[in-house]
Amino acid sequence: MSDRHILTAVAWPYANGPRHIGHVSGFGVPSDVFSRYQRMAGNKVLMVSGTDEHGTPITVAADAEGVSPQEIADRNNRIIVGDLTGLGLSYDLFTRTTTANHAAVSQEIFLGLLKNGYVFPQTTLGAISPSTGRTLPDRYIEGTCPICGYDGARGDQCDNCGNQLDPVDLVNPVSKINGETPKFVESEHWFLDLPAFAKALGDWLGTRRSWRPNVLNFSVNLLEDLKPRSYTRDIDWGIRIPLPDWQDRDDKRIYVWFDAVVGYLSASIEWARRSGDPEAWRQWWQSPDADAYYFMGKDNIVFHAEIWPAQLLGYNGAGDKGGTPGSYGALNLPTEVVSSEFLTMEGKKFSSSRRVVIYVRDFLERYDADALRYFIAVAGPENQDTDFTWSEFRRRNNDELVAGWGNLVNRSISMAAKNVGAVPQPGDLTDADRDLLATTSGAFGTVGELLGRNRQKAAVNEAMRVVGEANKYLSDQAPWKLKEDPARRDSVLFTALQAIKDCNGLLSPFLPHAAQQVHELLGGEGTWSVAPRIEEVTDLDDGRPYPVITGDYGTGQAVWASVPITPGTPLQAPKPVFTKLDESIVEEELTRFTEGQP
């Protein structure tokens, strides 16, 4: 294993309900593909995230049900943990933001910023609901953008022109919760001095040449209009402000977005504490050779390419006002912000409230996890908005997984099992044999280079192109016609099986469940692709129970290289790796969709 440490920081799914496939197409599957590849390549990966459990939407849901915000968070945390585990997302730690550890880390970051002069108090106008008196979060207020005139801008940002906004700036603002016009009242808050980081952020972004162009361009444009952002909110659910006269107040908390991004650090610290080495997190956060990749949908770019880097710079004392690092020491900035575009569904934007949605848990009850993972990888919103349709999902599954990769595996192993009962002993290989094996073994360099740069769509297409080459080889050589030449037949089957083993390695980051099946079909023993597991734990500081996702990923046999197959390894008649989907599923799913069923 190499000494390279790679932090995979995965956007925190919000715990106000189950997650749908649009969510996991942005933060979930891409981050897992990347992490599985890096582990196979021998790097030391720390993949962390958790449920984001503070903020107004949780309190709104709690009020609607007549329960506490903690009950809403607890329930949805368990649902999300189950869904992401079922999808095979290999978190080293998937935790939550309502832990005592997370509160302590969030408060330390705030105090470090305060010490260096990067947060300051200011009286501002805040939006409240006239009927309830409760604070309305920025994104729960909509109106007309004062800059571009877009009707549907949010109180924090206009998605049309990309400019940051304050709710009071909107023309004709209304509450998305109940449609009433918000009331604006004076309130004292703490603000992050973003303008003090303009030069430092610009210098940092100027070195990020490997980012996806859409992400880099959007991030650079944000620097043109940096304004102080409120670090606190008028709300009674969240992390307390660690200052005299503020700590015990029931109406002020750290803004949920500012504590959520701190979660990448707090989760790393919690992982280290649970590992038995409380200082282990520092290898991923302070080593100059460590890299940190942040995965999310494009609606989160602002907080990962501007706000979180500014918090880190301020804590490090690296803004215009200088300063010294806090008690944790200087912390690394992101290496890359890996943002995907949006996934739509049958031409419509995902919306749980309007029932335009496919929840992960419902999908996994009906279809294989790897079928969804493959669709997201090969046809997902990597660099442009993409539409999920049931007809395209079925086509990709049947034509590419079943008839392409699955057929290669099934017919090759079937012939070897029937004719030899084991991996055949090859004779002298022909040029055609050697050419195929050179293609499959050489693809680790090409596909690996693409995965290392988060060009996952190109990577999976290249891997499937190699599968196509192996299928063509098998058809051209036609071992079923070589009954009179068993030596040549065995050489062809040996070559095909070696190609399958190589292709299985290439596809393992994308299809971990299938990869384990193929490993076993080839006579492999033990674990090739390690699956995540759910563990019930207790809070390290206050003893409250909750589930986490974790896994012993270093115990798997998967490596990013061609692994020779061993002649004589016993083989059994295979079972299909993938399930062919009947044409009727398209009509059935479209009926559910039009009737508003999940």
Side-chain angles (χ1 to χ4, degrees):
M1 180 172 284
S2 76
D3 290 328
R4 186 183 176 202
H5 290 76
I6 295 176
L7 175 71
T8 305
V10 190
W12 292 57
Y14 196 62
N16 62 335
R19 298 299 88 186
H20 56 64
I21 66 169
H23 291 130
V24 297
S25 71
F27 74 81
V29 173
S31 62
D32 187 63
V33 169
F34 177 78
S35 295
R36 286 181 179 275
Y37 159 69
Q38 294 291 356
R39 292 190 189 106
M40 289 178 70
N43 296 316
K44 298 176 181 177
V45 173
L46 179 60
M47 179 174 167
V48 294
S49 187
T51 43
D52 178 6
E53 299 180 358
H54 294 131
T56 300
I58 295 282
T59 64
V60 171
D63 287 346
E65 295 190 26
V67 299
S68 70
Q70 189 66 63
E71 288 178 78
I72 295 291
D74 288 346
R75 179 204 310 159
N76 290 319
N77 165 262
R78 286 193 174 274
I79 291 172
I80 293 169
V81 162
D83 290 350
L84 302 186
T85 304
L87 200 52
L89 305 188
S90 56
Y91 294 98
D92 291 280
L93 181 67
F94 184 91
T95 179
R96 60 195 309 189
T97 58
T98 50
T99 65
N101 172 77
H102 176 70
V105 176
S106 297
Q107 290 172 335
E108 165 60 20
I109 295 296
F110 176 86
L111 291 173
L113 290 165
L114 178 67
K115 173 179 68 73
N116 288 332
Y118 293 109
V119 290
F120 61 90
Q122 179 175 300
T123 299
T124 185
L125 289 176
I128 65 170
S129 166
S131 60
T132 67
R134 275 196 162 173
T135 299
L136 289 171
D138 295 349
R139 67 182 184 278
Y140 270 65
I141 303 172
E142 284 189 345
T144 301
C145 176
I147 299 171
C148 71
Y150 174 65
D151 185 17
R154 299 194 312 268
D156 57 348
Q157 178 179 313
C158 175
D159 288 336
N160 187 56
C161 65
N163 283 288
Q164 296 178 49
L165 301 171
D166 289 317
V168 71
D169 297 330
L170 294 174
V171 179
N172 299 322
V174 295
S175 166
K176 289 177 62 178
I177 297 173
N178 56 19
E180 65 186 1
T181 300
K183 180 181 179 181
F184 292 95
V185 298
E186 286 191 347
S187 183
E188 187 177 17
H189 284 286
W190 291 90
F191 278 72
L192 178 64
D193 189 5
L194 280 176
F197 303 106
K199 182 180 184 306
L201 286 171
D203 291 345
W204 169 65
L205 287 171
T207 66
R208 306 294 95 187
R209 297 305 179 190
S210 64
W211 288 20
R212 293 174 180 172
N214 57 319
V215 181
L216 183 59
N217 292 337
F218 183 85
S219 303
V220 171
N221 289 338
L222 292 172
L223 301 179
E224 296 176 2
D225 188 32
L226 287 181
K227 298 177 181 177
R229 291 289 295 266
S230 179
Y231 207 103
T232 57
R233 281 290 189 270
D234 293 310
I235 190 173
D236 59 1
W237 173 245
I239 294 175
R240 293 182 179 274
I241 302 159
L243 296 173
D245 300 327
W246 290 77
Q247 177 74 39
D248 296 327
R249 293 186 62 167
D250 289 331
D251 62 337
K252 304 284 184 182
R253 295 291 189 273
I254 291 176
Y255 183 25
V256 59
W257 273 104
F258 284 90
D259 92 68
V261 290
V262 174
Y264 302 117
L265 176 61
S266 69
S268 302
I269 291 174
E270 181 184 345
W271 168 84
R273 293 176 67 188
R274 293 191 182 281
S275 76
D277 181 2
E279 301 301 309
W281 63 271
R282 296 184 184 277
Q283 298 173 86
W284 283 269
W285 282 91
Q286 295 180 319
S287 169
D289 298 323
D291 289 309
Y293 294 82
Y294 289 70
F295 289 81
M296 75 220 62
K298 67 179 178 181
D299 53 339
N300 281 345
I301 294 176
V302 171
F303 277 88
H304 292 83
E306 178 185 277
I307 302 297
W308 178 229
Q311 288 174 268
L312 291 168
L313 288 165
Y315 186 82
N316 293 346
D320 289 349
K321 300 176 182 179
T324 57
S327 63
Y328 292 139
L331 303 170
N332 292 347
L333 269 66
T335 302
E336 183 174 355
V337 173
V338 187
S339 171
S340 298
E341 301 294 297
F342 287 151
L343 187 72
T344 56
M345 176 183 170
E346 298 289 348
K348 296 182 179 180
K349 183 178 180 180
F350 276 97
S351 172
S352 297
S353 62
R354 292 191 292 270
R355 307 301 291 173
V356 182
V357 67
I358 314 168
Y359 291 119
V360 172
R361 62 191 313 189
D362 296 318
F363 193 103
L364 296 181
E365 285 179 357
R366 302 197 283 268
Y367 307 104
D368 294 337
D370 279 357
L372 176 58
R373 291 176 63 107
Y374 180 74
F375 182 91
I376 290 171
V378 76
E382 180 176 297
N383 49 27
Q384 63 182 18
D385 291 349
T386 304
D387 194 38
F388 176 93
T389 67
W390 286 108
S391 59
E392 180 66 1
F393 169 71
R394 175 178 175 271
R395 187 190 72 78
R396 294 279 188 179
N397 179 83
N398 289 358
D399 293 356
E400 297 171 16
L401 291 182
V402 176
W405 175 223
N407 184 48
L408 174 67
V409 171
N410 191 275
R411 61 177 178 160
S412 300
I413 296 177
S414 291
M415 282 186 282
K418 178 181 178 180
N419 289 283
V420 184
V423 175
Q425 179 68 47
D428 293 334
L429 299 184
T430 66
D431 288 346
D433 303 336
R434 287 189 288 270
D435 286 347
L436 176 64
L437 296 183
T439 296
T440 60
S441 61
F444 284 97
T446 305
V447 176
E449 190 272 337
L450 290 167
L451 286 174
R453 295 191 296 115
N454 284 297
R455 303 310 191 255
Q456 295 185 7
K457 186 174 293 188
V460 73
N461 275 306
E462 175 61 18
M464 291 300 286
R465 186 193 68 79
V466 174
V467 168
E469 290 290 322
N471 264 316
K472 182 178 184 302
Y473 165 86
L474 197 63
S475 296
D476 290 346
Q477 300 301 316
W480 52 88
K481 296 181 179 179
L482 298 173
K483 294 180 181 179
E484 304 303 319
D485 189 355
R488 177 59 191 153
R489 178 201 64 198
D490 288 356
S491 293
V492 170
L493 290 175
F494 171 85
T495 301
L497 295 178
Q498 180 62 62
I500 288 171
K501 190 168 182 65
D502 288 348
C503 289
N504 196 44
L506 295 170
L507 289 167
S508 289
F510 304 99
L511 309 172
H513 306 86
Q516 180 63 34
Q517 289 179 259
V518 174
H519 169 70
E520 294 170 4
L521 290 175
L522 289 171
E525 298 180 350
T527 303
W528 176 263
S529 291
V530 178
R533 68 176 185 273
I534 299 173
E535 280 190 8
E536 297 292 331
V537 301
T538 55
D539 192 292
L540 293 166
D541 300 293
D542 66 22
R544 289 187 302 114
Y546 60 95
V548 300
I549 304 174
T550 188
D552 301 317
Y553 307 113
T555 62
Q557 300 173 39
V559 294
W560 196 254
S562 178
V563 178
I565 198 165
T566 304
T569 302
L571 298 176
Q572 302 296 323
K575 295 180 179 179
V577 179
F578 303 104
T579 303
K580 186 175 183 179
L581 301 178
D582 188 78
E583 188 174 0
S584 63
I585 74 106
V586 176
E587 184 177 345
E588 292 169 3
E589 294 295 352
L590 287 175
T591 299
R592 287 192 183 97
F593 176 64
T594 56
E595 293 179 354
Q597 301 176 33

